[in-house]
Amino acid sequence: MTPATRVMGILNTTPDSFSDGGLWADRDSALRHAVEMVEVGADIIDIGGASTRPGSGSVSVHEELDRVIPVIESVVAETGAQVSVDTSKPEVMAAAVESGAGMINDVFALQQRGALTMAAKLSVPVCLMHMQGKPRDMQLDPTYGDVVVEVEDFLLQRAEACKSAGIPAERIIIDPGFGFGKTLEHNIRLFRSIPRLCRHGYPVLVGVSRKAMLGALTGKAVGERKAASLAAAILAAQSGAAIVRVHDVAETVDALKVFDSLSTDETRSSMKR
Ligand code: 7PM
């Protein structure tokens, strides 16, 4: 039996957070949002304090700690859910794990100074994401020879770097980074290659919820991409994704329950691998 796909609920603490318009910027509402996501079945709550939106600049360590640590502390205390910290900074990783976070989600794949060593020391699972360029400029002119080969090679190289630094393979999760330095065509090719990415044995995380690629496919504005996001989450699960990172947790959990009950291992392995 293929293990069920787990749901990671997105909790953003940045005032300018994508699509929630700073709704959860305030700590109480962030906590309420996290509790709600856990109640409807989120397995992991992803908490970030530095916006990675295209075109965004950087946030200081102090500011990121300030935004993220109190929220992690209260979410851990109130929900007992697994908390993932969305950060690239070693200082934030350390403080977050100290506050109860049990996973590191790094869109820079532990390439920032000190991040790899720190993640190894903290002994928690790490999600390595692919990004071409930096958030500020990544969507200007993304270019690849073969996007699938390049993303796969990058992720495998980073996984090797992790293992050399002492992170066991069992703690490594890989993520092609939809929308991070990719055109619509790149995103489509990568999405279709999820089964191939799964072959390496690392759990694959897929984050497409409400993203521009779904807007391009449906013509819908960001607030109207729920159905598109659900369709993509189910297809990701069918393709072998271990974790889907989503905004709409309740709906995704229902859709995955139906998928898990009605699909067979044959349905799943009929996907070309
Ligand atoms: C603006 C555009 C703001 C996009 C935020 C985003 C991923 C992630 C994000 C992902 C992993 C969003 C993204 N996306 N971490 N963080 N994988 N591992 O839609 O795809 O939340 S930020």
Side-chain angles (χ1 to χ4, degrees), residues 96-109:
V97 172
E98 172 74 20
S99 304
M103 176 174 167
I104 294 166
N105 174 25
D106 184 3
V107 299
F108 283 100

Side-chain angles (χ1 to χ4, degrees), residues 8 10 12 17-18 46 51-54 86 105-107 127 129 175 177-178 180 205-211 245 247:
M8 172 186 269
I10 303 168
N12 225 313
S17 100
F18 170 62
D46 191 39
S51 182
T52 38
R53 71 189 309 152
D86 186 343
N105 174 25
D106 184 3
V107 299
C127 178
M129 198 196 78
D175 177 351
F178 291 100
F180 285 84
L205 186 150
V206 171
V208 289
S209 181
R210 298 185 189 174
K211 282 187 180 173
R245 183 179 178 277
H247 298 88

Side-chain angles (χ1 to χ4, degrees), residues 29-203:
S29 36
L31 176 60
R32 262 183 281 121
H33 184 208
V35 168
E36 199 181 294
M37 289 194 288
V38 173
E39 281 173 355
V40 296
D43 299 291
I44 307 164
I45 302 295
D46 191 39
I47 305 179
S51 182
T52 38
R53 71 189 309 152
S56 68
S58 53
V59 166
S60 72
V61 173
H62 179 79
E63 200 177 341
E64 203 178 316
L65 285 170
D66 220 52
R67 284 182 191 172
V68 101
I69 299 303
V71 179
I72 292 175
E73 282 173 349
S74 55
V75 172
V76 168
E78 299 286 323
T79 72
Q82 185 180 11
V83 165
S84 148
V85 62
D86 186 343
T87 191
S88 302
K89 298 186 179 76
E91 300 89 340
V92 178
M93 293 173 187
V97 172
E98 172 74 20
S99 304
M103 176 174 167
I104 294 166
N105 174 25
D106 184 3
V107 299
F108 283 100
L110 304 176
Q111 295 176 102
Q112 306 288 68
R113 185 180 301 278
L116 186 57
T117 317
M118 181 58 79
K121 197 167 110 184
L122 295 171
S123 299
V124 295
V126 297
C127 178
L128 308 171
M129 198 196 78
H130 174 273
M131 166 164 47
Q132 183 178 89
K134 297 272 177 307
R136 186 178 290 286
D137 60 12
M138 64 188 179
Q139 287 307 104
L140 295 181
D141 183 27
T143 310
Y144 297 85
D146 183 324
V147 67
V148 172
V149 170
E150 286 178 38
V151 168
E152 185 173 45
D153 284 353
F154 170 83
L155 293 173
L156 294 178
Q157 272 174 34
R158 293 310 299 156
E160 286 308 312
C162 284
K163 288 190 273 183
S164 302
I167 300 176
E170 300 74 45
R171 280 194 210 127
I172 300 172
I173 297 157
I174 57 174
D175 177 351
F178 291 100
F180 285 84
K182 282 118 189 159
T183 62
L184 174 61
E185 197 197 330
H186 295 142
N187 288 315
I188 291 172
R189 292 204 54 213
L190 280 171
F191 199 97
R192 291 176 174 159
S193 80
I194 293 169
R196 167 173 167 171
L197 207 52
C198 292
R199 280 188 317 211
H200 303 288
Y202 300 110

